[in-house]
Amino acid sequence: MADLRIDIHDLQLKNPVMLASGTCGYAEEINEFFDVSELGGIFLKGLTLHNRDGNLYPRMAETPSGMLNAVGLQNKGIDYFINNIYPRIKHYNTPLIINVNGSTVEDYIELTEKVNELDKIPAIELNISCPNVKEGGMAFGITCPGAEAVTREVRRVYDKTLIVKLSPNVTDVSEIAKAVEGQGADSVSLVNTFVGMAIDAEKRKPLLSTITGGLSGPAIKPIALRMVWQVAKAVKIPVVAMGGIMNATDAVEFILAGATAVQVGTALFKNPLIPLQIIEGLNGYLDRHRMDSVKELVGSLQV
Amino acid sequence: MADLRIDIHDLQLKNPVMLASGTCGYAEEINEFFDVSELGGIFLKGLTLHNRDGNLYPRMAETPSGMLNAVGLQNKGIDYFINNIYPRIKHYNTPLIINVNGSTVEDYIELTEKVNELDKIPAIELNISCPNVKEGGMAFGITCPGAEAVTREVRRVYDKTLIVKLSPNVTDVSEIAKAVEGQGADSVSLVNTFVGMAIDAEKRKPLLSTITGGLSGPAIKPIALRMVWQVAKAVKIPVVAMGGIMNATDAVEFILAGATAVQVGTALFKNPLIPLQIIEGLNGYLDRHRMDSVKELVGSLQV
Amino acid sequence: MGNKTVSDFIVTENIKLNDTNYLLRLKAPDPLPIIRPGQFVNIEVKNTSEIFLRRPFSVFEMDYDKNILSVIIKILGRGSKKLTEVIAGDTISLIYPLGRHFTYPGKGERILAVGGGSGLAPMLFLAKESGLPAENVDLLIGARSASDHIDVNAYSQYGSLNFTSEDGTLGTKGFVTHHPLFTDNLKNYDKVYACGPEGMMKAVAREARKAGVNCEVSLENLMACGFGVCLCCIEPTVKGNLCVCTEGPVFNINELKWQI
Amino acid sequence: MGNKTVSDFIVTENIKLNDTNYLLRLKAPDPLPIIRPGQFVNIEVKNTSEIFLRRPFSVFEMDYDKNILSVIIKILGRGSKKLTEVIAGDTISLIYPLGRHFTYPGKGERILAVGGGSGLAPMLFLAKESGLPAENVDLLIGARSASDHIDVNAYSQYGSLNFTSEDGTLGTKGFVTHHPLFTDNLKNYDKVYACGPEGMMKAVAREARKAGVNCEVSLENLMACGFGVCLCCIEPTVKGNLCVCTEGPVFNINELKWQI
Ligand SMILES: Cc1cc2nc3c(=O)[nH]c(=O)nc-3n(C[C@H](O)[C@H](O)[C@H](O)COP(=O)(O)OP(=O)(O)OC[C@H]3O[C@@H](n4cnc5c(N)ncnc54)[C@H](O)[C@@H]3O)c2cc1C
Ligand SMILES: Cc1cc2nc3c(=O)[nH]c(=O)nc-3n(C[C@H](O)[C@H](O)[C@H](O)COP(=O)(O)OP(=O)(O)OC[C@H]3O[C@@H](n4cnc5c(N)ncnc54)[C@H](O)[C@@H]3O)c2cc1C
Ligand SMILES: Cc1cc2nc3c(=O)[nH]c(=O)nc-3n(C[C@H](O)[C@H](O)[C@H](O)COP(=O)(O)O)c2cc1C
Ligand SMILES: Cc1cc2nc3c(=O)[nH]c(=O)nc-3n(C[C@H](O)[C@H](O)[C@H](O)COP(=O)(O)O)c2cc1C
Ligand code: FES
Ligand code: FES
């Protein structure tokens, strides 16, 4: 029984297995299956300042070993969250992290200020990498100046752990990582989805209402793993990894590549119990490799 | 029986189904299975000015719906090709296209000058996107100035059809496409492989000798399709598409998205007969949709 | 915590109903919860490289004594095809119970349950569970041709059986809404229920609205998760975009923004 | 054009040889070409989402009358496991014939064929095809334990059978190179052939080189295509990096750059 505890800046995790934003609702939906307190942490569905209806149906297309989504950040806005959802979930005994989204820097700031007041939210994940919204979103995450600007301004108003979520749709993700580190990010998380597309050949039409969407799942794992490896070498702050993690072996690979913790996303759709299987499998792996703590595993790839 | 003929600049193809460089050797290996004259064209294994041993073994790792390779452009150099291989294959009744690789602009020029002399090579594919070599390769393909420089210089010395092969490992592939179009490229082909990585969790080591490699196969298809769609909208020159094409439906999707022709790559490893199946399937598709020529299909996605 | 489960069921029977429909009986490892007509399960498709996500199917029958849950699978594409190839003894993973059931009819009410295509299962289940005497229940089943119909004679004990076929080879020729039950006396019903292809459900909804009859439909939107986290299955409603998997699949037509 | 083929074979038999080894007999749709010991086929692994590429297996037996090709599959990982689950009647796609065969021994020569693990099949095939009287052929088969050995008694008609096991439960205790055939009289052979785990082949090669005996080994490098186009399977040789799938899998040890 190895020690699975690990920290991301001020955030103390009982284990490094967390749920990815947009794939686990507001935690309650997963709590229907098991006690979410067993998890290392939960990144809640992306929130914006105001209600968003999201994109039109259809929003989803299956792809080889993956899927495209074009949800477009459907959510009821931060105030609704604070008044209606937060009271119901704040007692969960695991860090709940809010995924913060905006169209402008001002949006991000205003939203963050509100989140800063929430006692039971110990961290935010600044989403500058959502490919499914027309304004803001990924636009901030694909240039260094854009990423720096949002991070800097949000850092000014936010006291707790600030994780910046990076887009993989860039030439050099480690540059962006270094840029946000330079502006005071406590951690970076990656990868968000890859911009992809699917077509119905018979109907000669795109399968998504938005034409393009975000690719996730095992298909992207090799690219995500490479990016995590590059970023972990480039920055000193902890890296939270995601992208196609389906089992404990996948999680171990990302941790070996330098991740301090991992997020499970699309895998939940296949089987919401996968995070528990990963925690167990990680434990078994550490025992088998005679490691006392998961900390020994972080970045221990032999190259 | 629809008309499958289509042109890429001066290159007249009997059908739009070609083989991707590095996945079909020098055509002879595929000719062991069927008469390669049935194909639209063949992009030969990447050539360099001098012999290259390529990277160390292991060079390959299987991934979900795809594979990573780290071949590193192993080839015997252009002179060996001209003297030993070219004479054996030049009678094939299908366009043979040489995939041109260099570490410096001078390399590209020298190589292209030699290729320009080969009667039976009607086109080159300028590979500025190989992720598996230390110098040159992808470095030229991920910035506009780099891509422009090689294209401009090669264009000066090359008279026939010049296709530039783009890297998907960039923030905005359509910018690079426009840049090479501006320097006289007759066509762009995309995508080359995505930089990815695979780890042996038990051994705690990378699976590839080079740590990272190039991801190909169906896993990348949604991203490749999106990029082809973006590029086809951005440039006026014909687009040659590849990335995970496994069957006629996949090929149709790329053509709908704007590709004039497609290349079949990794699919050959699963089944070298797939290109023939695609030609047949494409024919059936056009008949079913009452189109007389594949030209009607190009870019006809309804959005 | 939790009233949803992911479990491996054992296939006890796979019965071919006709060329494209199969009945799967699946034995649960643990006592099954109450599951009502309209609710569904999300089934994993194993042993294929083409399918990544689960596929949702309405529950057709519950046998709490034997701990068996049944579904009817109509072959539509690759996933449904693969699922019809399972054999007794195979294990198959289900997420359950999912979604909301139809509103049960009140005592003494008269109902019409209209099913077509892959939407048959919940209608048969509803007829059986309605709690009404058979004479209060009309089942109307539409298909393209007689050969697309499956044998539902056993259901005559729960309601009267009526059929339409597009080619006239069984029952009334035409679509379900061409049947006399629609054209003559729709107003006589207290509730109309429908499940099937979108076009059919919209036609039913149109008639029901015209006749002023309460109508519920079960939608079959594309789903990634099935339990409310991905927000892919949404349907525009008067309350905004709602998840079909958690707020549906059963909706009253007055909640929907259908242009009918 | 063409002496390589991709075809769907029909599984006629799947025989479990021991806990991890299975013998598959596969019937070809068309007359089989001549295939010799050391040559291999590349087999598609269907009905699984985990496997993308084919898996290479040496040919074990050719029955030209019945048009049947056989392979022995040792379960190593997910692909080989899946292949051992096929049943008679299944179709299975093969690319063939691939690679180069062992150099046949000259008339009257004495040979030693050493097989271990997944490398047994081509050694048995070679013993059978060598064209030599049984007394000129020594077969040496190594495994971890008696239970890992498979029954090869039928091969006593082609050569004398010798065994090693790491735990001493069958034949000489230790590795193949600990067997008296190696320690006592290796020089007596004209040719030594080996196929098996890399460590075993290197040990055999070392002894053969020491004894000055001609030695060929069959390598099992990772392959993507199997027919010479991907350049993934390379082995450093005195002629540079060569593809194991086309220039091998059989190599004379003097061609290889092994540090032995
Ligand atoms: C709540 C719910 C209950 C259902 N109950 C049943 C049932 O009891 N019996 C039954 O046979 N089917 C039922 N379905 C439909 C069933 O889920 C689909 O037929 C199945 O998912 C198709 O998968 P496939 O892999 O065979 O098709 P694919 O190969 O994925 O697709 C084939 C074609 O069908 C379309 N398609 C796929 N899924 C759906 C869908 N959900 N709705 C509409 N079009 C789709 C695709 O876009 C494509 O054009 C239900 C669906 C839902 C959402
Ligand atoms: C020319 C040739 C002939 C062969 N003949 C036979 C034969 O007759 N019978 C037989 O049982 N096997 C044979 N093999 C080996 C067989 O191909 C592998 O065991 C098989 O590909 C493993 O696939 P898998 O999916 O089970 O393993 P995976 O799940 O892919 O891998 C399991 C582990 O095995 C390693 N591995 C996978 N493939 C190979 C390989 N080719 N060499 C070394 N390590 C590998 C992986 O790296 C991993 O660590 C042969 C291989 C070659 C190249
Ligand atoms: C349906 C869906 C919705 C998502 N919504 C969000 C979101 O709101 N905010 C965000 O930062 N990422 C979102 N993501 C991205 C995931 O958090 C994750 O970065 C990505 O899916 C890659 O991980 P995976 O392959 O494990 O799913 C979403 C992904 C999916 C599939
Ligand atoms: C083993 C291998 C070797 C390759 N070698 C080359 C090469 O020499 N030159 C080149 O431009 N692309 C090379 N590629 C990239 C392919 O031509 C193609 O762009 C890529 O694989 C995507 O297409 P696919 O998914 O259909 O394989 C290679 C790909 C593979 C898998
Ligand atoms: S299918 Fe995921 S929310 Fe409904
Ligand atoms: S396996 Fe492809 S060249 Fe040998």
Side-chain angles (χ1 to χ4, degrees):
Chain A
M1 195 65 193
D3 185 354
L4 293 182
R5 285 173 304 169
I6 201 156
D7 299 344
I8 301 172
H9 190 67
D10 284 345
L11 201 62
Q12 298 176 350
L13 310 179
K14 54 173 83 99
N15 64 61
V17 181
M18 311 202 270
L19 307 186
S21 180
T23 66
C24 57
Y26 296 105
E28 289 174 294
E29 296 85 344
I30 303 294
N31 204 59
E32 290 272 323
F33 291 96
F34 63 86
D35 181 357
V36 294
S37 307
E38 297 186 40
L39 296 167
I42 301 177
F43 289 76
L44 305 175
K45 170 67 193 165
L47 286 168
T48 51
L49 206 44
H50 305 293
N51 175 76
R52 278 182 66 93
D53 286 338
N55 296 318
L56 295 180
Y57 180 86
R59 294 178 171 182
M60 186 280 270
E62 195 177 41
T63 69
S65 298
M67 64 174 279
L68 289 161
N69 88 79
V71 172
L73 284 173
Q74 176 177 332
N75 78 98
K76 295 217 159 112
I78 184 68
D79 292 334
Y80 182 91
F81 171 81
I82 293 175
N83 296 321
N84 298 280
I85 304 172
Y86 179 62
R88 291 202 309 258
I89 63 173
K90 65 181 186 191
H91 67 281
Y92 291 147
N93 182 21
T94 188
L96 301 174
I97 297 145
I98 287 186
N99 181 265
V100 163
N101 295 269
S103 311
T104 62
V105 174
E106 291 67 38
D107 283 356
Y108 280 103
I109 296 173
E110 209 179 323
L111 186 51
T112 306
E113 283 173 335
K114 293 193 180 216
V115 176
N116 203 21
E117 304 303 307
L118 302 176
D119 273 1
K120 296 285 181 172
I121 305 291
I124 59 171
E125 182 177 50
L126 203 63
N127 185 5
I128 55 170
S129 46
C130 180
N132 292 326
V133 291
K134 283 220 184 75
E135 284 146 23
M138 200 175 87
F140 287 110
I142 57 175
T143 68
C144 288
E148 279 169 349
V150 199
T151 309
R152 182 174 54 239
E153 298 307 318
V154 165
R155 178 74 289 179
R156 283 205 186 131
V157 299
Y158 194 65
D159 310 324
K160 303 178 226 169
T161 301
L162 169 59
I163 306 168
V164 180
K165 184 162 180 179
L166 306 179
S167 173
N169 300 288
V170 295
T171 308
D172 185 353
V173 68
S174 58
E175 263 193 10
I176 314 265
K178 280 189 282 186
V180 303
E181 180 183 38
Q183 299 302 324
D186 299 316
S187 167
V188 286
S189 60
L190 69 158
V191 298
N192 209 317
T193 53
F194 289 78
V195 183
M197 181 171 171
I199 289 175
D200 184 326
E202 289 305 319
K203 298 201 183 120
R204 298 167 68 186
K205 284 187 180 159
L207 280 169
L208 299 175
S209 68
T210 46
I211 306 177
T212 62
L215 183 66
S216 62
I220 65 170
K221 198 194 83 174
I223 318 181
L225 193 60
R226 179 265 297 182
M227 291 185 168
V228 166
W229 159 250
Q230 286 181 327
V231 167
K233 283 192 300 180
V235 298
K236 294 194 186 62
I237 51 179
V239 175
V240 179
M242 78 217 80
I245 297 176
M246 300 298 285
N247 52 45
T249 308
D250 292 338
V252 167
E253 288 170 27
F254 277 97
I255 299 173
L256 282 167
T260 296
V262 298
Q263 293 179 24
V264 181
T266 305
L268 296 168
F269 306 164
K270 289 212 77 161
N271 186 346
L273 305 182
I274 284 176
L276 298 185
Q277 295 163 3
I278 294 180
I279 295 169
E280 201 188 307
L282 187 56
N283 226 318
Y285 178 94
L286 293 170
D287 288 350
R288 203 161 63 247
H289 288 262
R290 294 169 203 287
M291 285 184 243
D292 293 328
S293 160
V294 68
K295 288 176 192 145
E296 293 172 45
L297 195 63
V298 176
S300 70
L301 188 74
Q302 293 155 26
V303 291
Chain B
M1 195 64 193
D3 185 354
L4 292 183
R5 286 173 303 168
I6 201 156
D7 300 343
I8 300 173
H9 190 68
D10 285 344
L11 202 63
Q12 299 177 347
L13 310 179
K14 55 172 82 100
N15 65 60
V17 182
M18 312 202 270
L19 307 186
S21 180
T23 65
C24 58
Y26 296 106
E28 289 175 294
E29 297 85 344
I30 303 293
N31 204 59
E32 291 272 321
F33 291 96
F34 63 86
D35 180 358
V36 294
S37 306
E38 297 187 41
L39 296 167
I42 302 176
F43 290 77
L44 305 175
K45 171 66 194 165
L47 286 167
T48 51
L49 206 46
H50 305 294
N51 175 75
R52 277 182 65 93
D53 286 338
N55 295 318
L56 294 180
Y57 181 87
R59 293 178 173 183
M60 187 278 274
E62 195 176 39
T63 68
S65 298
M67 64 173 280
L68 289 162
N69 89 79
V71 172
L73 284 174
Q74 175 178 332
N75 80 96
K76 294 218 158 109
I78 185 67
D79 292 335
Y80 182 93
F81 171 81
I82 292 175
N83 297 322
N84 298 281
I85 304 174
Y86 180 63
R88 292 202 309 258
I89 63 173
K90 65 181 186 187
H91 68 280
Y92 290 148
N93 182 21
T94 189
L96 300 175
I97 297 147
I98 287 187
N99 181 266
V100 164
N101 295 270
S103 310
T104 62
V105 174
E106 291 67 38
D107 283 357
Y108 279 103
I109 297 174
E110 210 179 322
L111 185 52
T112 305
E113 283 171 335
K114 294 193 180 214
V115 175
N116 202 20
E117 304 301 307
L118 302 176
D119 274 0
K120 297 284 182 173
I121 304 291
I124 58 171
E125 182 177 50
L126 203 64
N127 185 5
I128 56 170
S129 45
C130 180
N132 291 327
V133 291
K134 281 221 186 76
E135 284 148 23
M138 200 174 87
F140 287 110
I142 57 174
T143 68
C144 287
E148 280 169 349
V150 200
T151 309
R152 182 174 54 239
E153 299 306 319
V154 165
R155 178 74 288 179
R156 283 203 186 131
V157 300
Y158 193 66
D159 310 324
K160 301 180 226 170
T161 300
L162 169 58
I163 305 168
V164 180
K165 184 161 181 180
L166 307 179
S167 172
N169 300 288
V170 295
T171 308
D172 184 354
V173 68
S174 58
E175 261 191 13
I176 314 265
K178 280 189 282 186
V180 304
E181 179 183 38
Q183 299 303 324
D186 299 317
S187 167
V188 285
S189 60
L190 68 156
V191 297
N192 209 316
T193 53
F194 288 78
V195 183
M197 179 172 173
I199 290 175
D200 184 329
E202 289 305 318
K203 297 200 184 119
R204 298 166 69 186
K205 283 187 181 159
L207 279 168
L208 299 174
S209 69
T210 46
I211 305 178
T212 63
L215 183 66
S216 63
I220 66 170
K221 198 195 82 174
I223 319 182
L225 193 60
R226 181 264 298 181
M227 290 185 168
V228 167
W229 160 249
Q230 286 182 327
V231 167
K233 283 191 302 178
V235 299
K236 294 193 185 63
I237 52 179
V239 175
V240 178
M242 79 218 77
I245 296 177
M246 301 298 285
N247 52 45
T249 308
D250 292 338
V252 167
E253 288 170 24
F254 277 98
I255 298 173
L256 282 168
T260 296
V262 298
Q263 294 180 24
V264 181
T266 305
L268 296 168
F269 306 164
K270 289 211 79 162
N271 186 346
L273 305 182
I274 284 176
L276 298 185
Q277 295 164 3
I278 293 180
I279 295 169
E280 202 189 306
L282 187 55
N283 227 317
Y285 178 93
L286 293 171
D287 289 351
R288 203 162 61 247
H289 289 262
R290 295 170 201 288
M291 284 186 241
D292 295 328
S293 160
V294 69
K295 288 174 192 148
E296 295 172 44
L297 195 62
V298 176
S300 71
L301 188 73
Q302 292 154 26
V303 292
Chain C
M1 249 214 320
N3 42 40
K4 285 183 185 146
T5 311
V6 190
S7 288
D8 280 337
F9 283 55
I10 310 275
V11 178
T12 60
E13 278 184 286
N14 176 0
I15 303 167
K16 184 172 176 168
L17 302 178
N18 65 13
D19 275 358
T20 59
N21 284 280
Y22 290 73
L23 167 61
L24 303 190
R25 293 198 204 279
L26 310 168
K27 194 171 171 65
D30 299 304
L32 283 163
I34 301 292
I35 298 184
R36 299 215 152 87
Q39 290 190 282
F40 66 101
V41 296
N42 213 359
I43 307 187
E44 188 184 17
V45 187
K46 275 191 301 199
N47 298 327
T48 159
S49 60
E50 293 178 21
I51 310 287
F52 178 63
L53 297 164
R54 288 173 184 256
R55 297 291 188 263
F57 293 91
S58 303
V59 172
F60 162 58
E61 268 179 4
M62 294 295 295
D63 183 336
Y64 299 102
D65 293 337
K66 297 201 181 126
N67 222 24
I68 284 179
L69 178 158
S70 308
V71 293
I72 294 179
I73 297 193
K74 185 180 168 67
I75 297 179
L76 189 76
R78 304 148 306 156
S80 46
K81 176 86 174 56
K82 194 82 194 174
L83 285 175
T84 62
E85 292 164 5
V86 297
I87 54 173
D90 284 354
T91 59
I92 184 166
S93 169
L94 268 62
I95 303 185
Y96 66 99
L98 299 173
R100 298 188 172 172
H101 55 80
F102 288 101
T103 311
Y104 278 57
K107 230 182 138 107
E109 287 190 340
R110 286 186 54 84
I111 65 166
L112 172 63
V114 188
S118 59
L120 193 58
M123 292 296 104
L124 296 173
F125 192 17
L126 177 69
K128 192 171 175 181
E129 292 267 300
S130 68
L132 296 174
E135 58 270 25
N136 287 23
V137 178
D138 283 334
L139 262 166
L140 174 58
I141 300 168
R144 237 176 324 131
S145 183
S147 61
D148 296 317
H149 276 283
I150 64 175
D151 179 0
V152 293
N153 285 331
Y155 281 80
S156 58
Q157 59 178 305
Y158 305 118
S160 76
L161 302 176
N162 305 273
F163 304 94
T164 63
S165 56
E166 292 172 35
D167 63 1
T169 46
L170 183 74
T172 303
K173 178 167 173 160
F175 298 116
V176 286
T177 46
H178 298 141
H179 194 276
L181 292 178
F182 270 92
T183 50
D184 297 355
N185 55 358
L186 199 59
K187 285 194 163 67
N188 295 349
Y189 297 107
D190 297 294
K191 290 201 174 73
V192 174
Y193 303 93
C195 188
E198 194 180 301
M200 181 205 99
M201 287 194 286
K202 285 191 170 163
V204 170
R206 195 181 304 121
E207 297 305 319
R209 178 164 295 170
K210 243 196 277 170
V213 182
N214 194 314
C215 178
E216 287 183 352
V217 293
S218 178
L219 305 186
E220 294 195 348
N221 288 12
L222 288 170
M223 295 183 172
C225 69
F227 49 90
V229 298
C230 75
L231 308 189
C232 288
C233 63
I234 51 105
E235 180 71 25
T237 74
V238 292
K239 293 185 224 150
N241 285 336
L242 292 187
C243 286
V244 170
C245 68
T246 48
E247 314 275 340
V250 174
F251 289 96
N252 191 294
I253 58 164
N254 294 327
E255 295 176 87
L256 301 175
K257 293 214 167 173
W258 282 358
Q259 304 296 329
I260 46 172
Chain D
M1 249 217 317
N3 43 40
K4 284 182 187 149
T5 312
V6 190
S7 288
D8 278 338
F9 283 55
I10 310 274
V11 178
T12 60
E13 278 183 288
N14 176 359
I15 303 166
K16 185 172 176 167
L17 302 177
N18 64 12
D19 274 358
T20 60
N21 284 279
Y22 290 74
L23 166 62
L24 303 190
R25 294 199 204 281
L26 309 169
K27 192 170 174 65
D30 299 306
L32 283 164
I34 301 292
I35 298 184
R36 299 215 152 87
Q39 290 189 282
F40 66 100
V41 294
N42 213 359
I43 307 187
E44 188 183 15
V45 186
K46 275 191 301 198
N47 298 328
T48 158
S49 60
E50 293 178 22
I51 311 287
F52 179 64
L53 298 163
R54 287 172 186 259
R55 297 290 188 263
F57 292 91
S58 303
V59 173
F60 162 58
E61 266 179 6
M62 293 296 294
D63 183 335
Y64 299 102
D65 293 337
K66 297 200 181 131
N67 223 25
I68 284 177
L69 178 159
S70 308
V71 294
I72 294 179
I73 296 192
K74 186 180 167 66
I75 297 178
L76 190 75
R78 303 149 307 155
S80 47
K81 176 87 174 53
K82 193 82 195 173
L83 285 174
T84 62
E85 292 165 6
V86 298
I87 55 173
D90 284 353
T91 59
I92 185 166
S93 168
L94 268 62
I95 303 185
Y96 65 98
L98 299 173
R100 298 188 172 172
H101 55 80
F102 288 102
T103 310
Y104 278 57
K107 232 182 135 100
E109 287 191 341
R110 286 185 54 81
I111 65 167
L112 172 63
V114 188
S118 60
L120 193 58
M123 292 295 103
L124 296 174
F125 193 16
L126 177 69
K128 192 171 174 181
E129 291 267 299
S130 69
L132 297 173
E135 58 269 26
N136 287 23
V137 178
D138 283 335
L139 261 166
L140 174 57
I141 300 167
R144 236 175 324 130
S145 183
S147 62
D148 298 316
H149 276 283
I150 65 176
D151 179 1
V152 293
N153 284 330
Y155 281 81
S156 58
Q157 59 178 304
Y158 305 117
S160 76
L161 302 176
N162 305 273
F163 303 94
T164 63
S165 56
E166 292 173 35
D167 62 1
T169 46
L170 184 73
T172 305
K173 179 168 172 157
F175 298 116
V176 285
T177 44
H178 297 141
H179 194 276
L181 292 178
F182 270 91
T183 48
D184 296 357
N185 54 357
L186 199 60
K187 284 194 163 67
N188 294 349
Y189 297 107
D190 296 293
K191 291 201 173 73
V192 174
Y193 303 92
C195 188
E198 194 181 302
M200 182 205 99
M201 288 194 287
K202 284 191 172 163
V204 170
R206 193 180 306 119
E207 296 306 319
R209 177 164 296 168
K210 244 196 278 169
V213 181
N214 194 313
C215 178
E216 287 183 350
V217 291
S218 179
L219 305 186
E220 296 195 347
N221 288 13
L222 288 170
M223 295 183 173
C225 70
F227 49 89
V229 297
C230 75
L231 308 188
C232 288
C233 63
I234 51 106
E235 181 71 25
T237 73
V238 292
K239 294 185 223 148
N241 284 335
L242 293 186
C243 286
V244 170
C245 67
T246 48
E247 314 274 340
V250 174
F251 290 96
N252 190 295
I253 59 165
N254 294 328
E255 296 175 86
L256 301 176
K257 294 214 164 171
W258 281 359
Q259 305 297 329
I260 47 173

